[in-house]
Amino acid sequence: MRDMKVKAIHKAKLFAFQAHGWQQYGREPYFVHLQSVVDTTIRLGGDDIAEQVAWLHDVVEDTAVTVEDVLVQFGVVVAVAVQLLSKKEGEVYENYIASIRRNPIAKLVKIADTLSNLTQSTLQMNHKRIMKYTKQLQILTEV
């Protein structure tokens, strides 16, 4: 069972690498952001499914990958969480975050993603983004 989980995580990592290709995250390869989100997801108690979602959290929003591609490769639980994390054009922000909050896996990964974005924004001294991600973190962690 453990071996299957490790293979699934490795598959998600490779899939994300291929999908994001040469994309950048600030001055770093996009992989740096993905690894940060994965590491934080694990530190926050995420399981193997959450780790897969962490690797894949931006593939639908930022690449040519579709939710159907994720569904075929990783199954319904991963695909649903990735779909929730993929903000659609014109989607109302409050509705987007509310949907994420209702799914424990998507919520955990979004918190990890927000922490990564907040760290990057702080390093760049981007006050507008610092405020955005601080507010987003507050909304995500409200009880």
Side-chain angles (χ1 to χ4, degrees), residues 3 13 17 29 33 36-37 41 48 50 57 60 69-70 84 95 100 104 109-110 122-124 135 137 141:
D3 193 42
K13 181 178 182 178
F17 275 179
H33 171 63
S36 170
V37 174
T41 297
D48 59 297
H57 77 276
V60 172
D69 296 331
V70 176
L84 290 170
N95 296 343
I100 289 171
V109 172
K110 189 62 175 177
T122 302
L123 291 172
Q124 295 174 344
K135 181 171 175 53
L137 195 56
T141 58

Side-chain angles (χ1 to χ4, degrees), residues 85-104:
L85 291 164
S86 304
K87 189 169 184 299
K88 292 131 200 93
E89 190 173 329
E91 184 175 17
V92 176
Y93 175 78
E94 290 78 8
N95 296 343
Y96 166 68
I97 294 296
S99 295
I100 289 171
R101 284 181 46 125
R102 289 190 289 272
N103 181 295

